Amino acid sequence: MSYSFLIDTAIEAIKERYNRKKSPVMGDTVCAICSGSGKVYIGMNVNTMIGNIPNNIHAEIDALNKMKADNETVVKAITVFSSCNIFPIFPCNSCINLIMSLDTENA
């Protein structure tokens, strides 16, 4: 099965995110996940402050949280893009470990 549609979905999400003339900042990412059921979940990184400490929630975590809210745990395909240059990047090791821990089919 081809999951190339995930690339188009992620790029569209980037365009929608920044169509309000807001420019992406370094570290902004978008993630598209195809779950075991075939449903696509989009996640975007979220930069917040906890007191004086910056906190960045990865796009992968945002997408996984949406997926888990639908009681889905199997990840069939994932793509992550840097929003600054619309270039595919790898999920970090922590995100990969979380994906693998959700379901034995993800290993």
Side-chain angles (χ1 to χ4, degrees):
M1 178 175 194
S2 172
Y3 293 100
S4 61
F5 66 92
L6 279 181
I7 294 170
D8 297 332
T9 303
I11 291 171
E12 274 305 308
I14 292 170
K15 290 177 182 176
E16 285 179 28
R17 184 178 191 180
Y18 299 105
N19 73 353
R20 295 174 224 114
K21 301 197 183 341
K22 176 189 167 208
S23 297
V25 296
M26 197 62 135
D28 279 357
T29 56
V30 170
C31 174
I33 293 176
C34 182
S35 70
S37 70
K39 185 172 179 181
V40 175
Y41 295 89
I42 300 295
M44 298 182 190
N45 74 297
V46 178
N47 291 305
T48 61
M49 293 293 285
I50 300 175
N52 292 331
I53 302 170
N55 184 39
N56 181 27
I57 299 170
H58 292 191
E60 302 93 302
I61 301 301
D62 186 42
L64 288 168
N65 285 339
K66 292 173 183 174
M67 191 179 89
K68 290 190 310 184
D70 282 348
N71 295 316
E72 298 222 42
T73 57
V74 176
V75 174
K76 290 293 183 187
I78 183 171
T79 187
V80 184
F81 272 80
S82 165
S83 297
C84 289
N85 55 12
I86 310 180
F87 194 81
I89 59 174
F90 289 105
C92 74
N93 284 340
S94 294
C95 289
I96 290 170
N97 286 337
L98 178 60
I99 291 166
M100 292 176 66
S101 71
L102 289 177
D103 198 290
T104 56
E105 287 188 47
N106 297 341

